[in-house]
Amino acid sequence: MLSRPPTNLNVCAQQATVSLIKLVMNELQITISELYVDALGPPAAYQRYLKECFPEIEKISVETKADAKYKIVGAASVAAKVTRDAWIDGWVWEEGRRGKVATEGEEMEVDEEESSVPWNSQFGSGYPSDPKTKAWVESTLDPTFGYPSFSRFSWATIKVQLDKSAHKVD
């Protein structure tokens, strides 16, 4: 069964946050004096980490549910969700892509008219409690090959379904 190594989503989000702050400060030359961030894990540890990364920022506030406490964080949360939804709506399935595909330095031409994937693209919100997500997780699993690359293999919901319904690999 093919899968990617697990990636901690909080670590990915923290790295993305730091990268965005660096972009704003270094490349766009914008001075940040206050920073409000929604917590990823323990707020105090994340706040310390950000203060170490950006000692020049006067006030850094990391709080649980910051999107409900600060309008600017709530607005950023909405913008992130809209961006994510647009990105997912335009998702090109790696397993069903067509056009020029590079494989190990060589380009291969494939017919765009034949592009299809053997699973439902109605995957819902991605939350385990979402009925559409549950249905997608259950219906998409190929017992031999697992899930498409779109799936987060470190997600417990995916792991449980793989353990329950996929062929065992010794």
Side-chain angles (χ1 to χ4, degrees):
M1 186 164 344
L2 301 176
S3 68
R4 295 184 178 163
T7 303
N8 181 304
L9 236 98
N10 286 354
V11 170
C12 287
Q14 287 177 355
Q15 290 171 344
T17 300
V18 168
S19 293
L20 286 170
I21 296 167
K22 285 180 179 178
L23 172 85
V24 167
M25 293 175 71
N26 300 335
E27 293 183 33
L28 301 178
Q29 299 293 306
I30 295 173
T31 302
I32 297 174
S33 58
E34 294 181 29
L35 181 65
Y36 298 90
V37 181
D38 205 354
L40 299 165
Y46 189 24
Q47 185 165 316
R48 266 193 314 278
Y49 170 70
L50 288 174
K51 284 184 178 188
E52 288 171 11
C53 291
F54 304 103
E56 65 275 27
I57 299 177
E58 296 168 26
K59 179 181 180 183
I60 297 177
S61 179
V62 177
E63 295 183 41
T64 303
K65 303 287 184 194
D67 56 340
K69 295 176 185 174
Y70 303 103
K71 289 181 182 179
I72 191 71
V73 180
S77 179
V78 169
K81 287 176 179 139
V82 168
T83 301
R84 180 199 61 207
D85 290 349
W87 184 72
I88 288 173
D89 283 346
W91 185 263
V92 177
W93 296 94
E94 184 176 325
E95 297 82 359
R97 66 182 165 201
R98 300 294 183 255
K100 287 192 177 183
V101 178
T103 55
E104 296 182 27
E106 297 180 22
E107 278 192 356
M108 176 177 77
E109 187 72 36
V110 285
D111 186 0
E112 284 192 35
E113 296 296 319
E114 296 176 18
S115 179
S116 67
V117 291
W119 49 82
N120 183 350
S121 62
Q122 298 299 312
F123 35 78
S125 66
Y127 291 105
S129 60
D130 182 338
K132 283 185 180 179
T133 300
K134 284 181 183 179
W136 189 87
V137 167
E138 290 174 9
S139 69
T140 303
L141 175 66
D142 179 287
T144 303
F145 297 107
Y147 287 100
S149 61
F150 178 80
S151 306
R152 188 182 339 146
F153 291 92
S154 61
W155 188 33
T157 305
I158 293 290
K159 288 180 179 181
V160 166
Q161 192 67 24
L162 286 168
D163 288 343
K164 178 178 148 190
S165 303
H167 295 296
K168 303 297 178 225
V169 178
D170 295 325

